[in-house]
């Protein structure tokens, strides 16, 4: 298009017709007029000649350029004013192009968060490497060796001065980072935790590739990788899910034994005199409660199903009370000085009942096959038949609802209807337990505070599978495993703030204030605007809505080109030229600039 336009411009500038007009005192130029009609603006571009005739200035229209795009008309106008246009290839050539926008967004977020000052008070090589590792973990998580090769495909290495960094530098930086974990977490706590506020804590696990790490042990696998060695780690956040600290434990460590160290960390390391700790059911034990009282810390947790069954059998908890409300408080002598807040979610009850019925039916169907195989003689011996039936029961995790009758030549089963009915009575029912007095926190707010643990669960999903991919863990030395998990937590800290800043561009609900007033027991509902965005998959302006990952990919189309003058020697100086951001990219950059600690 540019060559065609240039030829047309040259025609008007050099043709005999234009030349004759010039001899008669004429000047060729472009005249643009704009008018509005029915709410729309129309532009008319005319190629005209101005000349004098008998002392009067007259105009002659030579052609209509309105069919040309605006930028082409601008080229015609500028050419007639004397500018000379040269093909781009004659001015400079591009010798390298690297994706830049995604890395630039992450580094800008880190600058807004004062991330370098979190790591250390003075700039140093190790801090630069850690920043590179964190940024790489957010953009494209890799192993450490792969990271040293990957970041040369982006502008990350040159922006942080890491062109010569190898895997040994990365491991040395990780060792340096682990030594600074305590002061870094103190700074994070000072930013995001306040005395008397709420802190969330939960435990998860990730599996190993290898068997030599001292932390690796068999335990309850939250990844579903049974028989794999794993490591446990607990995440401490503020009430909004912003990470503050992470603790690493051996893979067979019980949940309850990890809770008290968090209390001591808040008290001794962070210097917080009063806090409200929220932990999942089974996380806060009797011993933990006693120490919490000594430290003057409050807590919120939930009862286990067996404890709820005891309340039902004793009559203290009556299901009829839920006929007109979904939440009420009660007291029980087994929990002196505590408040129990019983909640029942009918929608959740229906979901669990449907799921249990489906699992029981699927198990019964598989057991029928085992029974038929035993009757035909394909399975013989009670041990062989029992092993096969056990695999079926363990497949759908409903063994407690079946009674087996196995002989050397048969396999029979019956349903434990009383057991099923007893479990069904607890469907959708949960009881929140706390030592907070009612004037300090209402029942509704207490339930909301307990449900805030979903923010920690989202953090674990992001760490483990969605974005940061903390697993599988390839390190074999204990300090490296601890440093790896701490590094992933810091990456989530940056990503958490980026996600909050980009809510309007993503599928996320922007109306966060509604959480404080909605029914705490009813299923969470999105705002009308969020529902519209999710169903249409588009924003208010008609552009596509994004996930965090696709938004980073859209930013990656901003590239930084390395250019030089054509025909230059290999050692000639070069200059950078970046892609001009489009509207989406520009808005994403503006939102990152609004991040505040």
């Amino acid at each position: 298009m540019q060559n065609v336009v240039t030829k047309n411009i040259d025609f008007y500038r050099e043709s005999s017709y234009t030349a004759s007009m010039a001899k008669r005192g004429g000047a060729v130029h472009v005249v643009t007029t704009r008018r509005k009609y029915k709410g729309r603006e129309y532009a008319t571009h005319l190629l005209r000649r101005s000349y004098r005739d008998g002392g009067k200035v007259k105009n002659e229209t030579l052609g209509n350029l309105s069919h040309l795009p605006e930028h082409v008309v601008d080229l015609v106008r500028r050419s007639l004013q004397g500018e000379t246009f040269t093909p781009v290839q004659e001015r400079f050539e591009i010798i390298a192009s690297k994706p830049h926008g995604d890395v630039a967004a992450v580094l800008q977020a880190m600058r807004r968060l004062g991330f370098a000052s979190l790591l250390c008070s003075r700039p140093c090589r190790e801090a630069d490497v850690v920043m590179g590792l964190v940024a790489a973990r957010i953009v494209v998580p890799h192993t450490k060796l792969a990271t040293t090769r990957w970041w040369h495909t982006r502008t990350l290495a040159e922006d942080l001065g890491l062109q010569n960094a190898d895997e040994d530098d990365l491991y040395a930086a990780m060792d340096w980072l682990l030594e600074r974990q305590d002061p870094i977490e103190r700074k994070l706590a000072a930013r995001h935790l306040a005395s008397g506020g709420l802190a969330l804590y939960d435990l998860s696990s990730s599996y190993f590739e290898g068997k030599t790490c001292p932390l690796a042990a068999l335990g309850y696998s939250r990844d579903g990788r049974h028989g794999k060695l794993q490591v446990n780690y607990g995440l401490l956040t503020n009430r909004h899910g912003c990470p503050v600290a992470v603790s690493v434990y051996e893979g067979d460590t019980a949940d309850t034994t990890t809770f008290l160290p968090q209390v001591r960390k808040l008290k001794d390391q962070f210097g917080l005199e009063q806090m409200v700790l929220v932990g999942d059911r089974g996380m806060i034990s009797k011993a933990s409660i006693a120490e919490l009282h000594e430290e003057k810390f409050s807590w919120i947790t939930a009862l286990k199903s067996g404890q709820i069954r005891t309340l039902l059998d004793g009559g203290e908890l009556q299901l009829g009370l839920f006929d007109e409300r979904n939440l009420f408080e009660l007291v029980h002598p087994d929990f002196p000085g505590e408040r129990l807040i019983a909640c029942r979610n009918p929608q959740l009850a229906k979901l669990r009942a449907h799921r249990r019925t489906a699992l029981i039916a699927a198990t019964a169907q598989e057991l029928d096959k085992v029974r038929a195989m035993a009757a035909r003689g394909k399975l013989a011996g009670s041990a062989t038949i029992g092993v096969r039936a056990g695999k079926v029961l363990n497949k759908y995790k409903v063994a407690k609802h079946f009674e087996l009758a196995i002989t050397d030549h048969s396999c029979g089963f019956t349903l434990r209807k009383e057991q099923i009915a007893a479990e069904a009575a607890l469907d959708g029912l949960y009881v929140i337990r706390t030592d907070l007095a009612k004037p300090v926190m209402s029942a509704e707010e207490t339930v909301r505070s307990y449900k805030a643990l979903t923010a920690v669960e989202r953090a674990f999903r992001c760490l483990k599978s969605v974005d940061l991919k903390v697993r599988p863990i390839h390190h074999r030395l204990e300090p490296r495993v601890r440093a790896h998990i701490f590094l992933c937590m810091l990456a989530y800290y940056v990503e958490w703030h980026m996600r909050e800043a980009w809510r309007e561009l993503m599928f996320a609900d922007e109306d966060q204030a509604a959480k404080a007033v909605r029914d705490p027991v009813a299923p969470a509902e999105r705002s009308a605007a969020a529902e519209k965005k999710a169903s249409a998959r588009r924003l208010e302006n008609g552009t596509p809505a994004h996930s965090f990952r696709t938004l980073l990919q859209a930013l990656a189309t901003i590239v930084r080109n390395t250019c030089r003058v054509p025909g230059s020697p290999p050692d000639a100086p070069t200059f950078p030229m970046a892609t001009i951001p489009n509207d989406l990219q520009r808005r994403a950059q503006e939102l990152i600039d609004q991040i505040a600690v």
Side-chain angles (χ1 to χ4, degrees):
M1 173 63 76
Q2 183 175 340
N3 291 336
V4 173
V5 172
T6 303
K7 290 179 180 179
N8 290 335
I9 293 172
D10 292 340
F11 169 79
Y12 282 117
R13 294 176 63 183
E14 300 176 7
S15 66
S16 58
Y17 177 78
T18 306
S20 64
M21 293 298 103
K23 290 180 180 179
R24 292 164 55 187
V28 182
H29 59 281
V30 176
V31 176
T32 298
T33 58
R34 300 182 187 275
R35 62 187 180 90
K36 289 186 177 180
Y37 179 70
K38 292 185 178 181
R40 294 184 61 183
E41 184 177 82
Y42 296 88
T44 302
H45 307 285
L46 300 177
L47 186 66
R48 285 185 172 179
R49 179 181 69 88
S50 298
Y51 63 93
R52 288 184 177 274
D53 186 5
K56 293 183 178 181
V57 177
K58 294 185 178 182
N59 294 301
E60 178 184 6
T61 300
L62 305 179
N64 191 339
L65 307 181
S66 302
H67 63 286
L68 296 176
E70 291 275 352
H71 69 280
V72 176
V73 174
D74 183 61
L75 285 174
V76 175
R77 179 183 290 109
R78 290 163 55 192
S79 178
L80 293 173
Q81 291 172 353
E83 289 190 45
T84 301
F85 297 95
T86 304
V88 173
Q89 293 80 359
E90 296 181 12
R91 290 291 186 181
F92 63 89
E93 61 184 3
I94 299 173
I95 61 174
S97 295
K98 294 181 180 180
H100 169 67
D102 49 358
V103 167
V106 174
L107 293 180
Q108 178 64 12
M110 295 170 76
R111 285 191 290 271
R112 295 290 302 174
L113 292 169
F115 193 81
S117 64
L118 278 176
L119 299 178
C120 58
S121 57
R122 296 180 179 179
C124 64
R125 171 73 170 177
E126 291 82 2
D128 291 338
V129 175
V130 169
M131 291 181 66
L133 284 169
V134 168
R137 179 65 50 176
I138 295 172
V139 178
V140 181
H142 285 299
T143 62
K144 305 304 179 293
L145 175 59
T147 297
T148 61
R149 299 171 181 177
W150 169 84
W151 61 24
H152 291 285
T153 67
R154 293 293 204 275
T155 57
L156 180 61
E158 58 191 74
D159 286 349
L160 293 176
L162 304 178
Q163 295 93 330
N164 298 323
D166 57 19
E167 58 270 25
D168 291 334
D169 295 321
L170 270 58
Y171 289 132
M174 290 176 64
D175 297 339
W176 174 88
L177 177 65
L178 185 63
E179 294 174 356
R180 302 196 55 78
Q181 180 172 357
D182 288 347
I184 292 172
E185 290 181 344
R186 280 197 296 270
K187 293 177 183 178
L188 290 174
R191 285 184 179 185
H192 303 289
L193 294 178
S195 185
L198 201 72
L200 312 176
Y201 176 73
D202 204 356
L203 191 75
S204 190
S205 61
S206 289
Y207 60 92
F208 273 92
E209 291 296 340
K211 299 180 179 180
T212 59
C213 180
L215 290 171
L218 291 174
Y220 171 66
S221 176
R222 296 162 181 84
D223 296 336
R225 297 296 187 99
H226 304 293
K228 276 271 192 182
L229 298 178
Q230 65 176 26
V231 61
N232 289 344
Y233 48 92
L235 187 64
L236 188 70
T237 77
N238 68 0
R239 69 173 305 142
H240 304 295
C242 179
V244 172
V246 67
S247 303
V248 182
Y249 305 95
E250 295 179 0
D252 56 355
T253 306
D255 292 14
T256 53
T257 60
T258 70
F259 185 77
L260 285 179
Q262 309 309 312
V263 179
R264 301 187 188 102
K265 178 178 286 189
L266 290 167
K267 184 80 173 181
D268 302 333
Q269 184 174 325
F270 300 160
L272 297 169
E273 295 299 326
Q274 290 183 338
M275 288 296 295
V276 180
L277 269 165
V278 184
D280 201 358
R281 67 189 72 202
M283 179 69 70
I284 303 179
S285 62
K286 278 188 176 181
S288 302
I289 291 174
E291 184 157 337
L292 284 165
H293 285 160
E294 292 180 6
E295 300 292 349
K296 297 182 180 180
F297 276 28
S298 297
W299 48 270
I300 300 173
T301 187
L303 296 184
K304 297 180 180 179
S305 58
Q307 294 171 312
I308 298 176
R309 167 57 56 190
T310 301
L311 295 179
L312 283 172
D313 295 341
E316 291 85 359
L317 179 58
Q318 301 178 21
L319 297 180
L321 295 174
F322 291 110
D323 291 343
E324 297 182 358
R325 51 184 173 169
N326 58 13
L327 176 152
F328 65 88
E329 292 195 42
L330 66 149
V331 294
H332 193 275
D334 290 346
F335 307 98
E338 299 177 15
R339 295 162 61 204
L340 302 179
I341 304 167
C343 308
R344 191 168 191 271
N345 185 334
Q347 289 87 346
L348 180 60
K350 291 179 182 179
L351 177 62
R352 288 183 176 174
H354 175 74
R355 183 181 300 166
R356 179 173 51 253
T357 301
L359 292 176
I360 289 175
T363 303
Q365 186 177 5
E366 293 290 330
L367 286 176
D368 279 333
K369 295 179 181 179
V370 177
R371 178 165 53 189
M373 293 172 67
R376 295 195 304 266
K378 286 191 174 183
L379 291 176
S382 59
T384 302
I385 297 173
V387 169
R388 183 62 178 267
K391 290 181 178 180
V392 172
L393 292 175
N394 290 330
K395 181 177 181 180
Y396 297 110
K397 313 298 182 186
V398 288
K400 58 185 176 182
H401 298 319
F402 286 85
E403 184 77 36
L404 295 180
I406 297 175
T407 67
D408 287 339
H409 304 288
S410 66
C411 176
F413 65 91
T414 56
L415 291 177
R416 295 175 176 173
K417 295 184 179 180
E418 293 184 359
Q419 169 73 24
I420 296 173
E423 184 178 279
L426 301 181
D427 286 345
L429 183 64
Y430 56 94
V431 180
I432 308 300
R433 176 187 180 191
T434 182
D435 67 336
L436 287 167
K438 193 168 185 177
V440 177
M441 185 177 288
S442 66
E444 291 78 9
E445 184 59 26
T446 303
V447 176
R448 292 190 189 99
S449 298
Y450 179 76
K451 286 191 169 183
L453 281 172
T454 56
V456 188
E457 295 171 1
R458 283 195 297 271
F460 283 138
R461 284 197 299 273
C462 182
L463 281 166
K464 296 166 71 171
S465 58
V466 178
D467 291 315
L468 303 176
K469 294 182 173 55
V470 68
R471 65 185 184 187
I473 299 172
H474 299 276
H475 301 285
R476 59 184 180 84
L477 300 179
E478 179 178 337
R480 296 277 168 79
V481 173
R482 295 182 182 276
H484 170 72
I485 294 176
F486 183 48
L487 182 76
C488 291
M489 189 217 82
L490 292 177
Y492 181 69
Y493 176 77
V494 177
E495 181 173 322
W496 185 90
H497 284 88
M498 295 180 70
R499 285 177 173 272
E500 291 297 307
W502 280 347
R503 278 187 174 274
E504 72 173 57
L505 302 177
M506 302 196 302
F507 288 99
D509 195 343
E510 298 172 54
D511 187 7
Q512 295 297 292
K515 293 182 178 180
V517 296
R518 70 186 182 195
D519 187 340
V521 180
E525 294 182 358
R526 293 180 174 182
S527 65
E531 283 291 344
K532 181 179 178 181
K533 184 164 54 173
S535 60
R537 295 180 175 83
R538 292 190 173 274
L539 307 178
E540 287 291 335
N541 60 7
T543 59
H546 285 273
S547 67
F548 180 79
R549 186 56 51 194
T550 61
L551 190 49
L552 276 181
Q553 291 169 354
L555 285 167
T557 60
I558 299 177
V559 301
R560 181 188 291 167
N561 300 303
T562 303
C563 309
R564 69 180 180 186
V565 176
S568 302
D571 58 346
T574 60
F575 61 93
M577 180 176 291
T579 308
I580 298 175
N582 58 29
D583 291 341
L584 170 67
Q585 295 163 340
R586 190 177 299 108
R587 182 56 181 161
Q589 293 170 345
E590 291 171 355
L591 292 173
I592 290 294
D593 283 334
Q594 296 174 17
I595 292 177
V597 179

